């Protein structure tokens, strides 16, 4: 299950860094990797994992470098790919830019990092913040003796001890992104909600946090299925700090948080979503070279909510000339680089309808005919604060620390437009 060696190569296959952890691979296998990769590129069959003559080559390309792991045994490819991405993040944290020149300038630090992040082929510590506490660059030399932080010898590798704040606060943003595709006849082709619980923690010590949601599985287990509104979350993914055994047992999200910003959890709902902002576009052709768009934008959420920073991209033919536009709300500007009219509305209250009228010319009849039937969809971007499509609610957020301080939890909800597209007739 372990990697045998790590290599960092340039695009020509020259070895910049190498670290042999198990002694069962030949250094020339880096050359074999480049040869095999070139063969696969020519045949159009490139994959992130290459098997050749009993060796597994797992690699990530970043900038002008290849990060390569080689193994002789049956390796967990997914885990090693994740490790290589973490290694890229660590190098970027230390050197600002990960490229051939930055590695050549920092060979000593790079080899120190390779010794710490993997032991006998098994991934170890991949938290850049923790590593930077005891592997110092020239700009962060310490005069006192350097001791490994407790996080390295601790089960909590993502948080250092001794963190102190004058004011202890937790900020939790429940962010939902709506992905929607609507056909020209008004039928919803695809709809899903992708959500994330984004946290920023400024807490002293080693706090224990507990978070409860209106989870359908929990409510049904407690016999409250019909009384309270609950959500059925799918594809839940947690940050490594969450105690998964505790969640499986009683659906409580219990964790010691990292310091600063992180994504606590992501989830998905494949429920049918009613379009929050509906856009209709009526195309009128007054003459063989003059066309007019009549556009209605209607908000289909409750009046007490308002969408902000609404941006509607209306596609125009590539050779549209002299567009003339009027709006009942907001402002519209022709963006030739996007081949679209961009209609921006700062505030769009629920239950309202706004209009846009756009006239433009086309230089030729052929161009008009070509544009017919192959216009890209209308794209909509928006933000609706204090609102979630799924109805997810944070029931409680508790912070417990042995010193007994009181922490201030702040919870905010927001819905945004993701891949939100409406096809034109």
């Amino acid at each position: 299950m372990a990697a045998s060696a790590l290599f960092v190569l340039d695009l020509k296959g020259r070895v910049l860094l190498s670290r042999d952890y198990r002694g069962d691979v030949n250094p020339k296998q880096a050359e074999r990797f480049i040869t095999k990769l070139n063969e696969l590129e020519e045949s159009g069959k490139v994959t992130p994992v290459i098997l050749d003559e009993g060796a597994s080559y797992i690699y990530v390309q970043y900038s002008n470098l290849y990060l390569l792991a080689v193994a002789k045994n049956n390796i967990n490819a997914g885990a090693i790919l994740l490790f290589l991405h973490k290694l890229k993040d660590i190098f970027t944290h230390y050197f600002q830019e990960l490229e051939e020149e930055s590695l050549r300038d920092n060979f000593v630090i790079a080899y120190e990092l390779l010794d710490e992040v993997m032991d006998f082929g098994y991934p170890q510590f991949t938290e850049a913040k923790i590593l930077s506490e005891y592997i110092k660059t020239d700009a962060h030399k310490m005069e006192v003796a350097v001791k490994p932080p407790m996080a390295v010898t601790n089960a909590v590798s993502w948080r250092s001890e001794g963190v102190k704040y004058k004011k202890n606060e937790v900020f939790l943003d429940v962010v939902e992104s709506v992905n929607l595709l609507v056909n020209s006849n008004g039928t919803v082709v695809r709809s899903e909600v992708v959500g994330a619980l984004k946290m920023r923690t400024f807490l002293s010590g080693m706090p224990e946090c507990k978070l409860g949601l209106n989870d359908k599985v929990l409510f049904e287990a407690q016999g409250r299925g019909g009384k309270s509104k609950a959500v059925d979350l799918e594809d839940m993914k947690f940050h490594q700090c969450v105690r998964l055994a505790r969640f499986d047992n009683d659906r409580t999200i219990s964790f010691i948080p990292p310091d600063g910003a992180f994504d606590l959890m992501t989830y998905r709902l494949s429920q049918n979503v009613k379009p929050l902002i509906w856009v209709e576009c009526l195309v009128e052709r007054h003459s063989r070279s003059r066309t007019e768009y009549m556009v209605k934008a209607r908000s289909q959420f409750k009046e007490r909510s308002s969408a902000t920073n609404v941006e509607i991209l209306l596609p125009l033919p590539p050779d549209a000339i002299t567009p003339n536009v009027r709006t009942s709300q907001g402002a519209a500007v022709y963006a030739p680089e996007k081949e679209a009219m961009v209609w921006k509305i700062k505030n769009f209250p629920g239950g309202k309808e706004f209009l846009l009228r756009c006239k433009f010319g086309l230089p030729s009849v052929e161009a008009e005919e070509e544009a017919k039937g192959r216009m890209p969809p209308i794209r909509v971007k928006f933000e609706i604060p204090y609102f979630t499509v799924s109805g997810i609610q944070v029931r409680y957020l508790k912070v417990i620390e042995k010193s007994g301080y009181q922490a201030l939890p702040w919870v905010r909800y927001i819905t945004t437009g993701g891949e939100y597209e409406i096809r034109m007739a």
Side-chain angles (χ1 to χ4, degrees):
M1 295 292 289
S4 298
L6 285 179
F7 296 93
V8 180
L9 314 174
D10 65 13
L11 294 180
K12 294 181 179 178
R14 289 191 292 258
V15 177
L16 304 176
L17 292 176
S18 66
R19 186 72 174 85
D20 188 351
Y21 293 100
R22 300 175 73 90
D24 59 352
V25 297
N26 191 318
K28 290 187 177 179
Q29 289 193 270
E31 298 175 18
R32 179 63 190 159
F33 160 74
I34 288 293
T35 304
K36 192 68 179 173
L37 183 64
N38 290 336
E39 290 174 7
L40 291 173
E41 283 180 346
E42 287 175 10
S43 61
K45 297 178 180 177
V46 178
T47 59
V49 181
I50 299 172
L51 302 177
D52 182 59
E53 296 180 358
S56 302
Y57 301 93
I58 302 172
Y59 71 97
V60 171
Q61 183 179 353
Y62 182 79
S63 186
N64 57 354
L65 301 172
Y66 289 110
L67 303 182
L68 169 67
V70 182
K72 281 286 190 181
N73 50 20
N74 184 16
I75 197 167
N76 184 334
I80 296 299
L81 273 173
L82 178 60
F83 168 77
L84 291 176
H85 281 285
K86 286 280 191 181
L87 182 62
K88 180 263 293 182
D89 293 340
I90 291 168
F91 283 152
T92 306
H93 174 81
Y94 271 86
F95 312 141
Q96 303 303 321
E97 291 291 334
L98 176 55
E99 53 188 31
E100 184 178 341
E101 186 180 349
S102 63
L103 277 182
R104 291 188 185 280
D105 291 343
N106 295 279
F107 268 138
V108 175
I109 294 291
Y111 273 108
E112 278 191 67
L113 290 170
L114 290 181
D115 284 338
E116 291 296 334
V117 297
M118 186 167 271
D119 185 21
F120 199 56
Y122 293 97
Q124 300 295 310
F125 310 111
T126 55
E127 292 291 329
K129 283 185 180 178
I130 303 299
L131 286 166
S132 59
E133 288 187 25
Y134 65 104
I135 297 181
K136 301 288 181 181
T137 63
D138 290 340
H140 296 86
K141 278 187 176 177
M142 291 182 68
E143 294 178 5
V144 297
V146 180
K147 294 190 299 182
M150 283 295 292
V152 174
T153 56
N154 196 337
V156 186
S157 64
W158 53 87
R159 185 180 180 90
S160 300
E161 289 196 349
V163 179
K164 289 186 180 179
Y165 288 99
K166 286 184 178 179
K167 192 175 182 181
N168 293 288
E169 294 180 301
V170 184
F171 297 90
L172 173 60
D173 288 347
V174 181
V175 182
E176 291 192 341
S177 180
V178 180
N179 297 330
L180 190 77
L181 178 60
V182 182
N183 230 334
S184 55
N185 60 6
T187 57
V188 176
V189 178
R190 178 178 68 93
S191 70
E192 68 171 2
V193 178
V194 178
L197 271 58
K198 296 179 176 290
M199 292 196 79
R200 286 178 297 136
T201 61
F202 306 98
L203 298 172
S204 305
M206 277 285 184
E208 173 85 21
C209 296
K210 293 181 180 177
L211 176 71
L213 303 171
N214 56 335
D215 185 7
K216 188 175 181 181
V217 176
L218 174 64
F219 280 19
E220 287 177 352
Q222 294 175 342
R224 295 195 289 165
K227 297 177 184 177
S228 307
K229 186 179 179 183
V231 293
D232 189 10
L233 303 175
E234 303 170 19
D235 293 347
M236 289 186 285
K237 297 184 180 71
F238 294 101
H239 188 274
Q240 62 176 332
C241 66
V242 175
R243 295 186 175 91
L244 297 180
R246 176 79 185 272
F247 180 77
D248 289 339
N249 185 40
D250 61 8
R251 307 294 283 189
T252 299
I253 302 173
S254 175
F255 58 98
I256 296 174
D259 187 39
F262 66 102
D263 284 2
L264 177 68
M265 166 186 154
T266 59
Y267 61 90
R268 184 179 64 84
L269 291 98
S270 53
Q271 65 188 41
N272 288 326
V273 180
K274 181 182 178 183
L276 297 172
I277 294 180
W278 179 253
V279 182
E280 290 179 39
C281 182
L282 178 65
V283 180
E284 294 181 0
R285 292 178 173 84
H286 296 298
S287 67
R288 301 184 73 83
S289 60
R290 291 296 296 175
T291 303
E292 183 175 1
Y293 282 2
M294 288 280 293
V295 182
K296 288 182 184 177
R298 185 169 65 251
S299 54
Q300 301 189 137
F301 45 87
K302 292 181 180 177
E303 293 180 8
R304 64 170 179 262
S305 298
S306 285
T308 59
N309 302 320
V310 178
E311 187 176 291
I312 302 171
L313 268 75
L314 300 163
L316 299 182
D319 51 356
I321 53 174
T322 61
N324 183 14
V325 63
R326 286 182 296 160
T327 63
S328 63
Q329 184 77 4
V333 178
Y334 176 50
E337 72 280 2
K338 297 179 181 177
E339 296 179 359
M341 184 68 68
V342 182
W343 184 12
K344 293 184 178 180
I345 303 170
K346 285 186 178 179
N347 189 51
F348 202 144
K352 294 287 185 181
E353 182 177 283
F354 298 128
L355 303 175
L356 175 144
R357 186 188 292 263
C358 174
K359 297 178 182 177
F360 57 89
L362 291 168
S364 65
V365 179
E366 288 80 14
E368 183 182 358
E369 291 300 319
E370 282 180 17
K372 268 187 174 181
R374 61 179 186 87
M375 292 296 288
I378 298 168
R379 292 182 171 86
V380 187
K381 298 177 183 176
F382 58 86
E383 293 179 359
I384 308 176
Y386 318 112
F387 176 84
T388 58
V389 178
S390 65
I392 191 172
Q393 291 178 353
V394 176
R395 292 166 46 234
Y396 60 83
L397 174 55
K398 300 175 183 176
V399 180
I400 305 159
E401 215 275 333
K402 60 185 179 183
S403 65
Y405 63 70
Q406 292 293 314
L408 298 171
W410 303 88
V411 181
R412 182 174 63 167
Y413 301 91
I414 188 166
T415 294
T416 64
E419 295 177 6
Y420 195 104
E421 298 179 343
I422 301 168
R423 289 173 177 161
M424 293 180 66

